[in-house]
PDB file of all heavy atoms in Angstrom:
ATOM      1  N   GLY Z 539       2.163   7.670  -0.624  1.00  0.00           N
ATOM      2  CA  GLY Z 539       2.660   8.924  -1.355  1.00  0.00           C
ATOM      3  C   GLY Z 539       3.633   9.726  -0.527  1.00  0.00           C
ATOM      4  O   GLY Z 539       3.704  10.990  -0.694  1.00  0.00           O
ATOM      5  N   LEU Z 541       6.796  10.033  -0.527  1.00  0.00           N
ATOM      6  CA  LEU Z 541       7.901  10.639  -1.218  1.00  0.00           C
ATOM      7  C   LEU Z 541       7.530  11.253  -2.546  1.00  0.00           C
ATOM      8  O   LEU Z 541       8.412  11.472  -3.406  1.00  0.00           O
ATOM      9  CB  LEU Z 541       9.043   9.653  -1.344  1.00  0.00           C
ATOM     10  CG  LEU Z 541       9.589   8.927  -0.127  1.00  0.00           C
ATOM     11  CD1 LEU Z 541      10.763   7.998  -0.449  1.00  0.00           C
ATOM     12  CD2 LEU Z 541       9.991   9.971   0.939  1.00  0.00           C
ATOM     13  N   LYS Z 542       6.313  11.532  -2.689  1.00  0.00           N
ATOM     14  CA  LYS Z 542       5.779  12.104  -3.988  1.00  0.00           C
ATOM     15  C   LYS Z 542       6.539  13.367  -4.267  1.00  0.00           C
ATOM     16  O   LYS Z 542       6.605  14.321  -3.479  1.00  0.00           O
ATOM     17  CB  LYS Z 542       4.334  12.435  -3.910  1.00  0.00           C
ATOM     18  CG  LYS Z 542       3.732  12.864  -5.204  1.00  0.00           C
ATOM     19  CD  LYS Z 542       2.255  13.068  -5.098  1.00  0.00           C
ATOM     20  CE  LYS Z 542       1.621  13.558  -6.452  1.00  0.00           C
ATOM     21  NZ  LYS Z 542       0.210  13.738  -6.377  1.00  0.00           N
ATOM     22  N   GLY Z 543       7.195  13.482  -5.439  1.00  0.00           N
ATOM     23  CA  GLY Z 543       7.884  14.663  -5.855  1.00  0.00           C
ATOM     24  C   GLY Z 543       9.309  14.769  -5.377  1.00  0.00           C
ATOM     25  O   GLY Z 543      10.056  15.687  -5.720  1.00  0.00           O
ATOM     26  N   LYS Z 544       9.826  13.799  -4.558  1.00  0.00           N
ATOM     27  CA  LYS Z 544      11.124  13.838  -3.957  1.00  0.00           C
ATOM     28  C   LYS Z 544      12.093  13.052  -4.827  1.00  0.00           C
ATOM     29  O   LYS Z 544      11.786  12.187  -5.527  1.00  0.00           O
ATOM     30  CB  LYS Z 544      11.140  13.285  -2.535  1.00  0.00           C
ATOM     31  CG  LYS Z 544      10.429  14.116  -1.546  1.00  0.00           C
ATOM     32  CD  LYS Z 544      10.635  13.710  -0.116  1.00  0.00           C
ATOM     33  CE  LYS Z 544       9.942  14.597   0.885  1.00  0.00           C
ATOM     34  NZ  LYS Z 544      10.426  15.937   0.877  1.00  0.00           N
ATOM     35  N   LYS Z 545      13.388  13.599  -4.772  1.00  0.00           N
ATOM     36  CA  LYS Z 545      14.431  13.006  -5.620  1.00  0.00           C
ATOM     37  C   LYS Z 545      15.531  12.494  -4.644  1.00  0.00           C
ATOM     38  O   LYS Z 545      15.761  13.077  -3.552  1.00  0.00           O
ATOM     39  CB  LYS Z 545      15.005  14.070  -6.524  1.00  0.00           C
ATOM     40  CG  LYS Z 545      14.012  14.794  -7.384  1.00  0.00           C
ATOM     41  CD  LYS Z 545      14.681  15.877  -8.210  1.00  0.00           C
ATOM     42  CE  LYS Z 545      13.717  16.560  -9.101  1.00  0.00           C
ATOM     43  NZ  LYS Z 545      12.752  17.485  -8.342  1.00  0.00           N
ATOM     44  N   GLU Z 568       6.519   4.800  -3.284  1.00  0.00           N
ATOM     45  CA  GLU Z 568       6.060   6.024  -2.546  1.00  0.00           C
ATOM     46  C   GLU Z 568       6.161   7.326  -3.366  1.00  0.00           C
ATOM     47  O   GLU Z 568       5.891   8.369  -2.833  1.00  0.00           O
ATOM     48  CB  GLU Z 568       6.773   6.146  -1.221  1.00  0.00           C
ATOM     49  CG  GLU Z 568       6.447   5.055  -0.189  1.00  0.00           C
ATOM     50  CD  GLU Z 568       4.968   5.093   0.226  1.00  0.00           C
ATOM     51  OE1 GLU Z 568       4.346   6.155   0.295  1.00  0.00           O
ATOM     52  OE2 GLU Z 568       4.412   4.013   0.494  1.00  0.00           O
ATOM     53  N   GLY Z 569       6.559   7.139  -4.624  1.00  0.00           N
ATOM     54  CA  GLY Z 569       6.502   8.332  -5.488  1.00  0.00           C
ATOM     55  C   GLY Z 569       7.832   8.992  -5.758  1.00  0.00           C
ATOM     56  O   GLY Z 569       7.841  10.041  -6.410  1.00  0.00           O
ATOM     57  N   ALA Z 570       8.909   8.484  -5.329  1.00  0.00           N
ATOM     58  CA  ALA Z 570      10.193   9.178  -5.503  1.00  0.00           C
ATOM     59  C   ALA Z 570      10.839   8.828  -6.871  1.00  0.00           C
ATOM     60  O   ALA Z 570      10.515   7.755  -7.460  1.00  0.00           O
ATOM     61  CB  ALA Z 570      11.154   8.759  -4.412  1.00  0.00           C
ATOM     62  N   THR Z 571      11.688   9.667  -7.341  1.00  0.00           N
ATOM     63  CA  THR Z 571      12.588   9.431  -8.424  1.00  0.00           C
ATOM     64  C   THR Z 571      14.014   9.462  -7.890  1.00  0.00           C
ATOM     65  O   THR Z 571      14.261  10.251  -6.969  1.00  0.00           O
ATOM     66  CB  THR Z 571      12.400  10.367  -9.581  1.00  0.00           C
ATOM     67  OG1 THR Z 571      12.631  11.700  -9.068  1.00  0.00           O
ATOM     68  CG2 THR Z 571      11.040  10.220 -10.210  1.00  0.00           C
ATOM     69  N   ASP Z 624      16.681  15.174  -2.415  1.00  0.00           N
ATOM     70  CA  ASP Z 624      16.049  15.228  -1.060  1.00  0.00           C
ATOM     71  C   ASP Z 624      16.449  14.243  -0.146  1.00  0.00           C
ATOM     72  O   ASP Z 624      16.283  14.378   1.022  1.00  0.00           O
ATOM     73  CB  ASP Z 624      14.499  15.201  -1.281  1.00  0.00           C
ATOM     74  CG  ASP Z 624      14.029  16.295  -2.149  1.00  0.00           C
ATOM     75  OD1 ASP Z 624      14.006  17.543  -1.810  1.00  0.00           O
ATOM     76  OD2 ASP Z 624      13.529  15.983  -3.292  1.00  0.00           O
TER      77      ASP Z 624
END
Side-chain angles (χ1 to χ4, degrees):
L541 302 184
K542 185 178 180 181
K544 290 192 180 295
K545 307 175 180 70
E568 291 297 327
T571 55
D624 302 289

